[in-house]
Amino acid sequence: MSVKRHNQKKTLYSMVFTLVLSASLLLVALYKNYHAASNKNTVLVQNEPSKSTAVDHLQQQAEIEDKDPKQLLVEHIEKNNSVLEKSDSIKLDKQKLIEWVRNNNYAKARHYLIKKASAAVDQQDSLVLGEVMQLLGRVSATEGDLASTEVYLFEALDIFSGTQSHQQVANTQLLIGRMYAKRREIAKRAGNAYDDLLIARYYLSKGRTYIAKEIIDSSINENLKLGRSGAVASAYKSLARYYGSRQNFNDERDALAKAANFYAESGQDHQAMLVLSELRDKHASLDAIEQLQSDIESKLFDYESQINLVRQARDYMKLYSLYSSKGEQGRAWEFRVKASEILSRSGKRDMYFRMPDVMALLYDSNTNLDKAEKYYAKARQSYLDQNNIDAYNRVVSLEQILN
């Protein structure tokens, strides 16, 4: 018995020691994190003229980030008092630009700004050209065309760096950081919607149909917001499976029809025709089949038409690059304006390219995070060098909500 008690005591002492050690290590880690956070915010606290804390800035910035992007762009155009306002020949028509933005007519807004950029090239006015490029980046970001946003903002950054416009260099670095942060956010949202759909399919396979239905609806709504038509189509196929399991055949056929339409909208003709064939097997009415086939053909035709416009615009952009490399800027910008005119006749450009697979998005997600951190750090340092403490604190807030 004494041996047994001895072993029990050893076990008890061992457990107590482990708990004490764990608690001690936790306290050390918390202290280090607190100390690091305090060091990181030293400049923020010392230079902040008001009594606001880092948390206050974080909350304020979160409120700003929650604002409607379109409204933020309109406010930026309204308040803009830059070199564009002082250039009589290239001066912006603010009201016209704001009207296009409010009506979601981003293609016209971009084309209008491209013509202004061309005029700035003719007059060899680099500062105006840089501001137009930056504004083009803002417009494209608001539309959701982040590929064009990247191109325009890096052009603006190159121009401002060449003209030693330190304030605009910092502003553009901040916009580039936000663009990469937005890409990171979209990748995460697309990944979550994809995971949700997999979970919903698992619940369907286990007969837990009610839970599956809620998750599928959520996945559809999220992918619609992201403009991922192919993912929406896939979710509608799962929704059809749900209705089929409950022998609700009318809703099942309706969900399949929506899946076929979204496949066609994203240019996936083979998938659309497979769904159409499935509807025939499920004895959909002849009228419904004929109508759906007509809708699919119409959407595929629109998709191909827009793709051809984009290809033509790309050819003009190749000519722009060719003449620009030879130093013939005037001739080069003629082709850039032509490319812009063609694209102004198309809808949102991103939807006319096949959306990248969600796995590809997630692969790029960490890269976008690294890039966002890099350009936030550049902007923060640039603002600090100019003693612009308000802008510095704003970047710090953005860095803290980056994940």
Side-chain angles (χ1 to χ4, degrees):
M1 288 296 290
S2 61
V3 175
K4 184 176 181 181
R5 284 199 194 96
H6 178 69
N7 288 337
Q8 286 176 339
K9 283 184 179 181
K10 283 180 65 178
T11 302
L12 180 60
Y13 291 154
S14 176
M15 289 174 63
V16 171
F17 176 78
T18 301
L19 287 172
V20 171
L21 179 60
S22 299
S24 300
L25 290 173
L26 179 61
L27 287 171
V28 171
L30 287 172
Y31 173 78
K32 286 183 176 178
N33 286 339
Y34 173 78
H35 186 66
S38 299
N39 288 339
K40 183 177 181 182
N41 289 324
T42 298
V43 178
L44 177 85
V45 175
Q46 289 176 346
N47 290 289
E48 177 56 49
S50 70
K51 294 182 180 179
S52 298
T53 64
V55 175
D56 292 329
H57 286 293
L58 183 59
Q59 291 172 342
Q60 292 165 9
Q61 190 57 47
E63 291 173 1
I64 292 172
E65 293 300 301
D66 285 341
K67 277 190 177 181
D68 176 32
K70 187 192 298 185
Q71 184 57 36
L72 286 174
L73 176 59
V74 167
E75 290 174 6
H76 172 76
I77 296 171
E78 287 175 337
K79 295 175 183 177
N80 187 43
N81 188 26
S82 60
V83 293
L84 284 170
E85 297 301 297
K86 301 169 186 175
S87 175
D88 293 332
S89 58
I90 312 178
K91 189 173 181 179
L92 290 179
D93 185 336
K94 287 186 177 182
Q95 292 309 311
K96 184 184 291 185
L97 193 56
I98 288 171
E99 181 182 351
W100 283 327
V101 170
R102 282 179 172 157
N103 293 328
N104 298 323
N105 202 335
Y106 296 104
K108 279 190 176 179
R110 287 196 310 269
H111 183 50
Y112 172 76
L113 290 171
I114 284 288
K115 288 196 292 185
K116 292 295 182 181
S118 180
V121 170
D122 289 341
Q123 296 182 25
Q124 299 182 341
D125 194 329
S126 296
L127 285 177
V128 169
L129 179 60
E131 291 216 10
V132 173
M133 287 292 117
Q134 190 190 86
L135 189 51
L136 273 163
R138 289 178 182 270
V139 170
S140 298
T142 304
E143 182 188 8
D145 183 358
L146 297 182
S148 295
T149 301
E150 184 175 22
V151 171
Y152 292 135
L153 289 182
F154 274 106
E155 284 192 54
L157 182 60
D158 186 55
I159 292 166
F160 289 136
S161 297
T163 57
Q164 299 294 302
S165 304
H166 301 298
Q167 176 70 26
Q168 287 289 29
V169 165
N171 292 342
T172 307
Q173 288 169 335
L174 175 57
L175 289 171
I176 291 172
R178 292 183 66 181
M179 179 265 298
Y180 282 125
K182 186 66 177 177
R183 282 187 169 180
R184 162 80 168 177
E185 177 196 337
I186 288 172
K188 288 175 65 179
R189 287 172 61 189
N192 289 337
Y194 177 79
D195 290 343
D196 285 348
L197 195 54
L198 292 180
I199 292 169
R201 288 168 179 165
Y202 170 78
Y203 281 129
L204 279 175
S205 69
K206 297 299 181 182
R208 301 176 67 179
T209 56
Y210 181 74
I211 298 175
K213 170 69 163 53
E214 287 187 340
I215 299 174
I216 293 169
D217 287 341
S218 175
S219 180
I220 288 172
N221 290 332
E222 182 68 350
N223 280 305
L224 282 171
K225 290 175 185 176
L226 294 173
R228 295 182 59 80
S229 301
V232 173
S234 180
Y236 268 116
K237 282 199 70 178
S238 294
L239 187 61
R241 181 180 162 191
Y242 160 78
Y243 285 125
S245 70
R246 300 178 67 85
Q247 298 187 348
N248 189 340
F249 300 119
N250 287 332
D251 285 339
E252 179 189 25
R253 287 190 287 266
D254 183 58
L256 285 172
K258 288 179 179 177
N261 273 301
F262 277 107
Y263 276 132
E265 186 176 291
S266 61
Q268 298 183 62
D269 52 344
H270 179 66
Q271 290 293 339
M273 291 306 173
L274 285 178
V275 175
L276 188 64
S277 177
E278 186 176 349
L279 276 167
R280 288 194 184 98
D281 294 340
K282 292 185 180 296
H283 308 295
S285 69
L286 183 60
D287 288 344
I289 292 291
E290 288 179 350
Q291 181 61 53
L292 180 57
Q293 186 162 4
S294 176
D295 291 343
I296 290 172
E297 289 172 356
S298 176
K299 283 183 168 59
L300 288 172
F301 177 79
D302 289 343
Y303 180 89
E304 288 301 323
S305 297
Q306 298 294 343
I307 283 290
N308 287 334
L309 283 176
V310 172
R311 285 171 181 158
Q312 189 177 354
R314 280 180 169 176
D315 288 341
Y316 279 130
M317 287 301 293
K318 288 177 182 176
L319 289 170
Y320 159 79
S321 298
L322 175 64
Y323 280 102
S324 182
S325 66
K326 292 182 177 180
E328 299 181 37
Q329 296 300 326
R331 182 66 172 147
W333 273 85
E334 288 179 17
F335 287 109
R336 188 156 189 173
V337 171
K338 285 181 179 179
S340 174
E341 192 279 325
I342 289 170
L343 290 174
S344 70
R345 291 188 265 123
S346 72
K348 185 178 177 181
R349 280 177 279 178
D350 270 0
M351 71 176 291
Y352 300 117
F353 298 95
R354 291 188 186 277
M355 282 287 185
D357 181 80
V358 70
M359 291 297 108
L361 276 177
L362 292 174
Y363 179 80
D364 290 336
S365 177
N366 289 334
T367 302
N368 288 326
L369 176 61
D370 292 341
K371 289 179 179 178
E373 290 174 340
K374 173 184 175 182
Y375 280 94
Y376 279 157
K378 284 176 177 284
R380 172 165 41 81
Q381 187 60 50
S382 296
Y383 286 131
L384 189 60
D385 290 343
Q386 299 166 56
N387 201 31
N388 188 341
I389 304 305
D390 287 340
Y392 171 89
N393 286 334
R394 183 164 181 254
V395 180
V396 170
S397 297
L398 284 169
E399 287 178 309
Q400 290 175 332
I401 61 176
L402 185 64
N403 55 54

